[in-house]
């Protein structure tokens, strides 16, 4: 990603992290269009600063660095909005002040969401490498959480065949995620 002309790296990066940033912005009650604008600003900031980011001991992992950029962009977007005039007594204002501040959650959310999005992206990338039956056995047991015995019975396969299919897809999924996550690795 440090090479701005590496379109493949940037394409993979955006496919994984843009939905994460948009979902976080939407969870902070930004409108869809505002969340898209915010994501664009976040990735412009990343593109400008990526050359200076270096992994290492004592330095923030990539996802934490990205979370900080995202959190700052969200705070800036929210504080630029016109505030609604609050109406109510002092007790209502005290109740509002007791609501937890969600900014501290942003880093954990970026990490969790990016892992989920990386799995989605990798699954889309590798799905065509497997037969429909193999994919279905994997999907039903690993993603939907259905028991191997039930899936085997429904698909007229042995439990061993389901385990093998699931294992093959999981191995390939891990390989695909590793291909992109080494570029944006983080030690957590």
């Amino acid at each position: 990603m440090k090479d701005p002309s590496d379109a493949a790296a940037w394409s993979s990066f955006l496919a994984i992290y843009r939905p994460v940033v948009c979902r976080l912005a939407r969870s902070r009650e930004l409108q869809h269009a505002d969340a898209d604008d915010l994501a664009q600003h976040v990735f412009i900031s990343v593109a400008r600063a990526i050359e200076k980011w270096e992994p290492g001991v004592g330095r923030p992992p990539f996802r934490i660095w990205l979370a900080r950029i995202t959190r700052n962009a969200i705070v800036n977007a929210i504080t630029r909005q016109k505030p609604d005039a609050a109406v109510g007594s002092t007790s209502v204002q005290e109740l509002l002040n007791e609501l937890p501040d969600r900014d501290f959650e942003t880093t954990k959310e970026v990490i969790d969401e990016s892992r989920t999005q990386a799995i989605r992206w990798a699954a889309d990338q590798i799905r065509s490498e497997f037969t429909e039956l193999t994919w279905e056995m994997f999907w039903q047991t690993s993603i939907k959480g259905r028991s191997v015995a039930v899936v085997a019975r429904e698909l007229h396969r042995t439990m061993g065949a389901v385990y093998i299919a699931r294992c093959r897809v999981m191995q390939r999924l891990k390989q695909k995620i590793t291909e992109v996550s080494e570029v944006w690795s983080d030690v957590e």
Side-chain angles (χ1 to χ4, degrees), residues 60-134:
F62 179 80
R63 290 180 185 147
I64 292 174
W65 181 73
L66 178 61
R68 288 179 185 159
I69 293 171
T70 303
R71 180 178 49 239
N72 291 342
I74 290 171
V75 168
N76 288 340
I78 290 172
T79 57
R80 287 185 192 139
Q81 292 177 346
K82 293 181 182 177
D84 292 334
V87 179
S89 66
T90 306
S91 61
V92 171
Q93 187 62 42
E94 288 170 358
L95 284 172
L96 289 172
N97 289 337
E98 290 177 18
L99 291 174
D101 181 8
R102 292 187 57 195
D103 285 341
F104 73 93
E105 298 172 357
T106 304
T107 299
K108 183 178 179 334
E109 288 175 302
V110 166
I111 291 168
D112 292 346
E113 284 285 332
S114 63
R115 286 179 179 151
T116 300
Q117 189 60 35
I119 292 168
R120 287 180 184 141
W121 174 84
D124 285 344
Q125 297 293 308
I126 68 165
R127 184 173 183 164
S128 64
E129 297 174 21
F130 299 93
T131 65
E132 283 299 318
L133 181 60
T134 298

Side-chain angles (χ1 to χ4, degrees), residues 22-181:
C22 287
R23 278 195 295 274
L24 286 172
R26 295 283 295 143
S27 76
R28 299 303 193 268
E29 311 219 355
L30 291 176
Q31 298 294 324
H32 182 74
D34 294 333
D36 281 341
D37 289 345
L38 180 123
Q40 184 173 351
H41 290 294
V42 165
F43 295 114
I44 289 171
S45 296
V46 168
R48 289 181 181 149
I50 193 69
E51 288 181 12
K52 296 174 189 165
W53 179 81
E54 291 291 334
V57 177
R59 307 231 1 148
F62 179 80
R63 290 180 185 147
I64 292 174
W65 181 73
L66 178 61
R68 288 179 185 159
I69 293 171
T70 303
R71 180 178 49 239
N72 291 342
I74 290 171
V75 168
N76 288 340
I78 290 172
T79 57
R80 287 185 192 139
Q81 292 177 346
K82 293 181 182 177
D84 292 334
V87 179
S89 66
T90 306
S91 61
V92 171
Q93 187 62 42
E94 288 170 358
L95 284 172
L96 289 172
N97 289 337
E98 290 177 18
L99 291 174
D101 181 8
R102 292 187 57 195
D103 285 341
F104 73 93
E105 298 172 357
T106 304
T107 299
K108 183 178 179 334
E109 288 175 302
V110 166
I111 291 168
D112 292 346
E113 284 285 332
S114 63
R115 286 179 179 151
T116 300
Q117 189 60 35
I119 292 168
R120 287 180 184 141
W121 174 84
D124 285 344
Q125 297 293 308
I126 68 165
R127 184 173 183 164
S128 64
E129 297 174 21
F130 299 93
T131 65
E132 283 299 318
L133 181 60
T134 298
W135 189 262
E136 188 66 19
M137 288 186 279
F138 156 75
W139 191 263
Q140 290 297 322
T141 57
S142 298
I143 305 300
K144 298 245 179 178
R146 298 184 68 212
S147 80
V148 170
V150 169
V151 172
R153 189 171 42 253
E154 287 178 359
L155 298 177
H156 309 292
R157 296 290 183 253
T158 65
M159 287 177 47
V162 175
Y163 280 118
I164 290 169
R166 184 168 73 174
C167 182
R168 285 182 52 227
V169 175
M170 288 298 292
Q171 284 178 327
R172 182 63 183 115
L173 194 58
K174 286 176 187 176
Q175 285 175 336
K176 192 65 176 178
I177 291 170
T178 300
E179 287 174 18
V180 294
S181 67

